[in-house]
Amino acid sequence: MEVFVARQPILEANEEVYAYEILYRNSQDNRFTPVDDENRATSEVLMNSFLTIGLERLSQNKPCFINFTEDLLLDMVPEQFNPQQLVVEILEDVSHSMELIRVCRELKKKGFLIALDDVEDVSQTSVVELLLYVDIIKVDIRTVSEKSRKEIIQIAKDFNITLLAEKVETREEHKRCVNEGFELFQGFYYSKPVIVSGMDIPMLESSYFQIIREVTNSEDKVNINKISDILEKDLSLTYKLLRLINSSMYRRTVPIKSIKQAVMLLGIESLKKWLYVLSVQQSAHLSSSSQLVLKSSLIRARMCERIADTINPIGNADDYFLTGFLSLIDVITQKKTSEVIESLPLDDRIKEALNGKENGYRKVLDIVIALEIADFNQLEKNIQGHGVQTQQLLKIYEDAIEWTESLYSEHFSHVTNK
């Protein structure tokens, strides 16, 4: 499934790129399409930018300005992301309540930059209180009055706030803004928004609602094992979870070797917030080709797990499950494996195996692939010295197919093919 966002550069006075504003788009048509639910637009921008396209491609790892609705701010959704990568942009229609000021104070403590969008009147008491935590004021130079413009410029100096000029369309406007003390610039004079697209992994709606049921239990009843088990059946949720960890405060804390480890690292409260963001942009339908790849990923994961148990009963089969589960990630994202897994916080040995380098994980995966394509000559070579027989492997393959089909029949039979 192809997803879209638009990016527009934000420049410094020397016209070097400082950051990008990321804008909602739902097609290659480069214009904003109004949506009934603003939460959905922001959620899609977050998920598509950080978890599907990736900032290394979208912004060359420059910071991204993203508009947040009041609901998402009050739920502290921004804190799930890396403060070095995200500038929290507060829309003009967000109420400047004491609760919002508390949120801004907390985000500032965590290292986030906060931008106030479309400021026109800085005389309101609530705005002045909020300015204590604001780093950047965005001014639409085409709509703000001359009087308000002067007031904003003065208060920015008083509070040591950076001024960003929006809607700059001519060289003369640029020069005037520089002379007035503006330090950042955005507008058609520099660049129109550019569409960037990526391939999303379709999510199984059933898995999403199962996890929601689990995490909404009281804290002492949340079953990490059950949540991990649900994630192990949905490649999309697993992939997004790993990308989220790599884009958040947990980045590079510890390499991930299993799905359970990823859940424990993120924590239940963070998982709840992440699922809330997902809830407004989930997809309920899968194409036939997507279902086929997802099923194949599950079969490979189950086989890797069972073969690892057979070869080395005292090892950690979860590691092998994750290796098999991600082994077709290049097919479904339509990117090179090396490019995809570079953005995932995986154990180095799992990354090496997925890239084709021989190690314990790769040996098991190669056994699975040889069996999958019925290359029995290669299979015999692969299993030499491992104490496992072809008949055992055929039974494991049969059981893995049965397990996957049973899983789809039990939980995902409502999913409609396109």
Side-chain angles (χ1 to χ4, degrees):
M1 179 175 67
E2 194 170 15
V3 297
F4 309 88
V5 294
R7 69 176 194 187
Q8 187 174 31
I10 293 170
L11 307 176
E12 298 172 329
N14 60 4
E15 300 187 23
E16 290 291 321
V17 175
Y18 168 78
Y20 289 91
E21 179 164 12
I22 310 301
L23 307 164
Y24 173 77
R25 296 290 186 269
N26 61 4
S27 70
Q28 287 284 5
D29 190 8
N30 197 359
R31 61 186 176 85
F32 176 73
T33 303
V35 291
D36 295 333
D37 186 352
E38 288 186 348
N39 286 333
R40 174 174 163 244
T42 298
S43 298
E44 288 197 17
V45 167
L46 284 169
M47 290 298 170
N48 294 343
S49 300
F50 285 88
L51 307 188
T52 301
I53 298 170
L55 296 197
E56 62 279 356
R57 177 165 161 257
L58 179 63
S59 68
Q60 292 77 54
N61 289 316
K62 297 280 188 182
C64 291
F65 283 60
I66 293 182
N67 290 325
F68 278 85
T69 64
E70 188 166 2
D71 288 344
L72 294 177
L73 285 169
L74 296 182
D75 280 322
M76 291 296 288
V77 167
E79 70 176 357
Q80 302 308 312
F81 298 88
N82 187 332
Q84 304 304 313
Q85 299 174 332
L86 174 65
V87 178
V88 178
E89 190 168 332
I90 300 176
L91 293 167
E92 66 278 9
D93 58 356
V94 171
S95 62
H96 301 152
S97 64
M98 292 306 296
E99 187 65 12
L100 178 71
I101 291 170
R102 181 193 63 78
V103 167
C104 290
R105 184 166 59 245
E106 289 301 312
L107 291 174
K108 285 285 291 181
K109 286 180 182 178
K110 294 179 184 295
F112 287 93
L113 293 179
I114 297 173
L116 203 55
D117 192 26
D118 284 346
V119 175
E120 293 187 3
D121 182 3
V122 290
S123 63
Q124 300 174 40
T125 303
S126 60
V127 174
V128 173
E129 290 177 354
L130 186 60
L131 289 177
L132 292 170
Y133 307 102
V134 169
D135 300 279
I136 299 167
I137 290 178
K138 301 184 73 176
V139 181
D140 184 339
I141 66 169
R142 314 209 81 73
T143 61
V144 71
S145 69
E146 195 68 27
K147 178 175 178 292
S148 292
R149 182 167 172 153
K150 290 178 180 178
E151 290 174 351
I152 293 168
I153 291 170
Q154 184 57 53
I155 205 164
K157 290 178 182 177
D158 294 341
F159 281 81
N160 195 27
I161 295 173
T162 299
L163 285 171
L164 190 161
E166 291 187 288
K167 307 288 179 64
V168 180
E169 295 185 2
T170 68
R171 185 68 182 172
E172 290 70 28
E173 288 172 345
H174 171 83
K175 286 181 178 178
R176 179 187 173 187
C177 290
V178 170
N179 292 335
E180 289 176 333
F182 284 84
E183 298 177 56
L184 298 174
F185 309 87
Q186 182 180 2
F188 285 3
Y189 169 66
Y190 315 102
S191 173
K192 293 183 178 181
V194 175
I195 292 286
V196 183
S197 65
M199 292 302 297
D200 191 20
I201 303 175
M203 183 172 66
L204 296 169
E205 186 181 1
S206 175
S207 300
Y208 167 77
F209 284 111
Q210 287 180 69
I211 292 180
I212 284 290
R213 283 197 297 270
E214 288 302 318
V215 299
T216 51
N217 285 330
S218 61
E219 190 67 31
D220 59 337
K221 292 183 179 178
V222 172
N223 189 324
I224 296 291
N225 289 327
K226 188 173 284 189
I227 290 171
S228 302
D229 184 58
I230 295 167
L231 282 166
E232 285 178 352
K233 300 173 177 66
D234 194 318
L235 182 59
S236 176
L237 285 173
T238 296
Y239 175 70
K240 287 180 170 68
L241 174 64
L242 292 171
R243 286 298 296 262
L244 178 67
I245 289 173
N246 210 46
S247 298
S248 70
M249 67 186 81
Y250 307 101
R251 188 181 184 197
R252 305 195 188 287
T253 301
V254 60
I256 302 298
K257 297 176 69 176
S258 70
I259 294 170
K260 181 178 178 181
Q261 181 192 0
V263 173
M264 293 179 70
L265 180 62
L266 188 64
I268 296 302
E269 286 306 311
S270 293
L271 184 62
K272 286 179 182 177
K273 291 174 183 176
W274 175 63
L275 290 169
Y276 170 62
V277 176
L278 269 179
S279 69
V280 291
Q281 60 98 204
Q282 64 176 309
S283 171
H285 300 286
L286 296 176
S287 68
S288 297
S289 59
S290 294
Q291 285 198 56
L292 181 61
V293 176
L294 293 174
K295 282 186 177 182
S296 296
S297 298
L298 282 166
I299 292 169
R300 283 191 178 188
R302 184 69 165 179
M303 288 174 69
C304 284
E305 177 186 52
R306 292 288 305 282
I307 292 169
D309 263 339
T310 303
I311 293 174
N312 183 20
I314 62 172
N316 191 347
D318 288 347
D319 306 10
Y320 292 87
F321 185 98
L322 184 57
T323 303
F325 202 33
L326 295 174
S327 63
L328 290 169
I329 199 73
D330 58 324
V331 177
I332 200 158
T333 60
Q334 297 184 18
K335 297 179 183 177
K336 292 181 179 179
T337 299
S338 57
E339 180 184 345
V340 178
I341 65 174
E342 182 60 32
S343 62
L344 302 181
L346 297 169
D347 181 89
D348 284 343
R349 290 170 298 168
I350 294 178
K351 284 187 174 183
E352 289 168 358
L354 293 172
N355 276 324
K357 186 174 180 179
E358 187 171 332
N359 60 24
Y361 296 117
R362 187 69 209 188
K363 286 177 181 177
V364 171
L365 183 57
D366 282 341
I367 290 172
V368 168
I369 293 171
L371 191 60
E372 186 179 70
I373 63 176
D375 187 343
F376 291 103
N377 289 330
Q378 186 62 48
L379 181 63
E380 288 297 327
K381 294 177 184 177
N382 291 347
I383 64 176
Q384 283 179 7
H386 288 301
V388 63
Q389 303 300 316
T390 301
Q391 274 311 116
Q392 288 177 275
L393 295 174
L394 289 171
K395 182 66 169 69
I396 288 174
Y397 190 20
E398 180 184 336
D399 289 345
I401 293 173
E402 184 178 333
W403 175 79
T404 301
E405 291 297 338
S406 174
L407 176 71
Y408 265 71
S409 175
E410 181 180 353
H411 297 296
F412 312 134
S413 58
H414 70 289
V415 177
T416 304
N417 292 347
K418 289 184 179 179

